[in-house]
Amino acid sequence: MNPMTIAYAKTSAESAAGGRPIELMPSMANRHGLITGATGTGKTVTLQVMAEHFSRLGVPVFLSDVKGDLTGLSQPGQASPKLQARLEKLGLPTPAFAASPVTFWDVFGEKGHPLRATVSDMGPLLISRMLSLNEVQEGVMSLAFRIADESSLLLLDMKDLRAILQFVGDNASALRTQYGNISSASVGAIQRRLLALEDQGAGKFFGEPMLNLADMMQTDINGRGVVNILASDRLLNAPRLYASFLLWLMSELFENLPEVGDAEKPRFVFFFDEAHLLFNEAPRPLMEKVEQVVRLIRSKGVGIYFVTQNPLDIPDEVLGQLGNRVQHALRAFTPRDEKAVRSAADTMRQNPAFDAAQAITELGVGEGLLSFLDARGQPAIVERAYVCAPASRIGPATDAEKAEVMRRSIVAGVYDAVSDRESAYEKLRDRAAQAAAQAEAEKVKPAENPLGIGGPIGEILGQALGTTPTKSGGRQRQTVFEAAFKSAARSIGSGVGRTIVRGILGSLFKSK
């Protein structure tokens, strides 16, 4: 398969005329990569050029658009006088202008098709990180998921999560003997943080219909891979939600795709912009999962490319897995900047023709140091080069153009309407009300566990409904039932009558 020409090596002070093409081997693209550089140095255009090449190879792409500039991928570029003058000056070829097939996504459903996941699929680890919970609060969150598992209650959206947490808090004393002490203060703190997260719009992310990964891994009628663009400008206002969502998406790819080994091209390519948000203040268990996913997902045919300003933003354990490098300019204004420059230069295979550390501080816009893996998997000697111009538009698409792309999208109408199916929350509320009304009218004690709920929740409800014998051999009085019923009707989350299985980053039990 033909390699992808990303740039041309620099041959003179400001020209790449006659320079050697810098090529990325498709068979090495799933060895992951790193694109770094200061603001305004050309990272976005480099990302755009690489996404176009992957698309033309028939490889679906996912990328986050933090500034709105990447929506131009959906529109053909134009040979403007400014662009033509730059291409002639630098000796770069004029691209064959064309649009790429694009699907727009937006967690908030405003600038693209809604993108959702269920609470149970995100799991307690990612949700705890999203809420910045401390160790005690993380334990309560994991306990709530455990109780939901053992009671076959599926957690779909925010109201289900709040309900199971409230149930845990209201019945802490009854659950203590099986699960240990449960802090009501921790439950209250988690509830407050959930409300704050909802105020940021995160509640729109949790629910159904949930994303089907197959809808992202599509090709158009011409065999070109679809470029999935996530609108991330507003999402960055909730950076932990942004990082947790993208990490969840990576873990879903890892867990659901079969092994393919070494293929001639990737099955899917994932660009993670503003990658430092993934690693900021991340707890060690989460970091271990990130390292595991990055290390092993290559065998699933998935390439991950981190995009960030500073190479020091990436932990060494992850940085060592990134074989393909594009380094744009860095400015050494502070000691940390100087360390970043030296680190970036030292981690590339040196070129005796120039000093890489010095070159990093001198690079112009659209110029970079590139080192890709060769056909044997070895890093090529770093080259100072000019990145090619993209075939699609540099800059954003208009609102009308984006609306037309969404209208013709292959997922148009699939995710737009929220599905709020009748879940265990509604069913338990209705059945509990029925049981209470019947018991009041007939003065007859309800049958044992009339709601049909198993696990610790069923035991508590059985006691509350007056069906579990007390130590004296009698039955609990109606007033106790009423108190427990009110808590149960408020609290209990949704279920589907089966054990919950979550992704690798959120699973309590490794099962399929």
Side-chain angles (χ1 to χ4, degrees):
M1 182 167 290
N2 294 332
M4 305 180 293
T5 300
I6 306 300
Y8 285 88
K10 189 174 181 178
T11 56
S12 64
E14 286 193 27
S15 178
R20 183 177 69 85
I22 309 300
E23 299 173 331
L24 175 59
M25 304 292 295
S27 59
M28 294 292 133
N30 65 337
R31 264 66 170 182
H32 313 317
L34 177 67
I35 303 173
T36 54
T39 300
T41 56
K43 297 192 302 295
T44 300
V45 172
T46 299
L47 191 160
Q48 186 171 345
V49 170
M50 294 179 71
E52 288 179 349
H53 277 290
F54 283 122
S55 177
R56 285 196 288 270
L57 286 176
V59 178
V61 175
F62 176 90
L63 52 88
S64 54
D65 187 7
V66 299
K67 296 179 293 186
D69 294 350
L70 290 171
T71 56
L73 276 159
S74 64
Q75 307 299 319
Q78 292 182 338
S80 66
K82 181 179 179 180
L83 175 60
Q84 197 62 43
R86 177 177 173 81
L87 295 177
E88 292 174 0
K89 177 182 177 181
L90 299 181
L92 296 175
T94 300
F97 295 112
S100 296
V102 166
T103 300
F104 293 121
W105 300 91
D106 184 3
V107 167
F108 304 103
E110 297 172 353
K111 299 180 181 179
H113 302 290
L115 204 158
R116 304 182 190 90
T118 62
V119 169
S120 63
D121 209 71
M122 284 289 286
L125 183 60
L126 279 181
I127 292 180
S128 295
R129 198 252 172 142
M130 192 185 304
L131 298 173
S132 302
L133 302 184
N134 60 33
E135 186 175 351
V136 174
Q137 293 163 352
E138 285 182 16
V140 173
M141 181 67 73
S142 296
L143 174 62
F145 274 75
R146 174 70 65 87
I147 292 173
D149 275 351
E150 295 180 355
S151 302
S152 298
L153 295 174
L154 184 65
L155 307 176
L156 298 177
D157 52 25
M158 284 290 226
K159 70 177 176 61
D160 295 326
L161 180 57
R162 286 201 307 271
I164 193 67
L165 285 167
Q166 185 172 345
F167 179 88
V168 168
D170 290 346
N171 297 279
S173 58
L175 296 168
R176 183 178 296 119
T177 55
Q178 184 174 355
Y179 298 101
N181 290 332
I182 301 171
S183 169
S184 297
S186 293
V187 174
I190 296 172
Q191 295 281 33
R192 289 191 295 273
R193 296 195 181 196
L194 284 173
L195 290 174
L197 197 65
E198 280 191 289
D199 290 341
Q200 297 177 14
K204 295 182 179 180
F205 171 61
F206 293 107
E208 293 183 313
M210 178 176 154
L211 173 68
N212 183 350
L213 288 177
D215 288 336
M216 281 192 171
M217 304 178 67
Q218 299 279 354
T219 56
D220 69 357
I221 58 175
N222 298 314
R224 297 176 300 171
V226 172
V227 180
N228 299 274
I229 300 178
L230 174 68
S232 303
D233 48 350
R234 183 181 169 191
L235 193 58
L236 284 183
N237 294 328
R240 288 182 178 271
L241 174 62
Y242 171 76
S244 299
F245 160 69
L246 293 185
L247 186 53
W248 166 78
L249 185 57
M250 285 195 298
S251 71
E252 286 292 293
L253 289 168
F254 174 79
E255 188 159 288
N256 289 285
L257 295 179
E259 298 275 346
V260 296
D262 293 324
E264 63 176 7
K265 64 180 180 179
R267 176 182 293 172
F268 192 78
V269 174
F270 186 99
F271 288 92
F272 197 142
D273 204 358
E274 299 294 338
H276 65 282
L277 297 176
L278 175 61
F279 306 105
N280 282 352
E281 301 178 5
R284 186 60 207 167
L286 182 61
M287 284 302 305
E288 291 173 354
K289 293 297 185 182
V290 174
E291 294 162 16
Q292 179 187 23
V293 169
V294 173
R295 186 172 62 254
L296 300 179
I297 202 171
R298 177 189 67 80
S299 63
K300 304 296 184 82
V302 177
I304 299 175
Y305 288 75
F306 295 97
V307 184
T308 189
Q309 294 191 20
N310 196 320
L312 296 180
D313 295 335
I314 309 297
D316 291 343
E317 296 84 353
V318 175
L319 195 62
Q321 305 292 326
L322 312 181
N324 300 297
R325 305 287 184 90
V326 179
Q327 177 64 61
H328 290 285
L330 289 174
R331 310 306 177 199
F333 296 135
T334 67
R336 186 176 188 273
D337 293 340
E338 292 179 358
K339 183 179 179 181
V341 169
R342 177 56 59 186
S343 174
D346 290 346
T347 54
M348 290 183 172
R349 186 177 173 187
Q350 296 300 304
N351 189 329
F354 61 89
D355 182 351
Q358 180 180 348
I360 288 175
T361 63
E362 299 173 346
L363 295 172
V365 176
E367 187 180 1
L369 300 185
L370 285 78
S371 175
F372 296 141
L373 299 177
D374 62 22
R376 295 175 297 177
Q378 297 177 330
I381 292 175
V382 64
E383 295 280 1
R384 188 168 178 172
Y386 288 106
V387 176
C388 297
S392 55
R393 180 187 300 172
I394 299 176
T398 66
D399 291 342
E401 290 169 338
K402 288 187 288 187
E404 178 61 20
V405 171
M406 290 181 62
R407 188 186 66 81
R408 294 184 283 104
S409 170
I410 57 176
V411 295
V414 176
Y415 298 98
D416 297 341
V418 177
S419 173
D420 189 14
R421 57 175 170 158
E422 187 180 22
S423 64
Y425 174 82
E426 291 82 12
K427 291 180 180 178
L428 289 170
R429 179 191 59 197
D430 296 342
R431 291 183 185 180
Q434 272 186 347
Q438 183 178 352
E440 179 67 24
E442 301 179 5
K443 300 298 182 181
V444 175
K445 296 179 178 62
E448 183 172 351
N449 196 4
L451 303 183
I453 304 301
I457 292 180
E459 295 176 9
I460 293 172
L461 285 178
Q463 295 174 359
L465 292 171
T467 61
T468 303
T470 62
K471 290 183 179 180
S472 62
R475 299 285 181 177
Q476 294 184 6
R477 292 179 297 175
Q478 184 70 17
T479 54
V480 178
F481 161 71
E482 290 173 350
F485 159 69
K486 291 178 181 178
S487 172
R490 290 196 310 266
S491 336
I492 297 173
S494 54
V496 292
R498 61 178 178 82
T499 301
I500 299 171
V501 179
R502 289 183 290 277
I504 184 172
L505 295 174
S507 59
L508 292 171
F509 305 101
K510 183 71 175 178
S511 59
K512 292 287 184 184

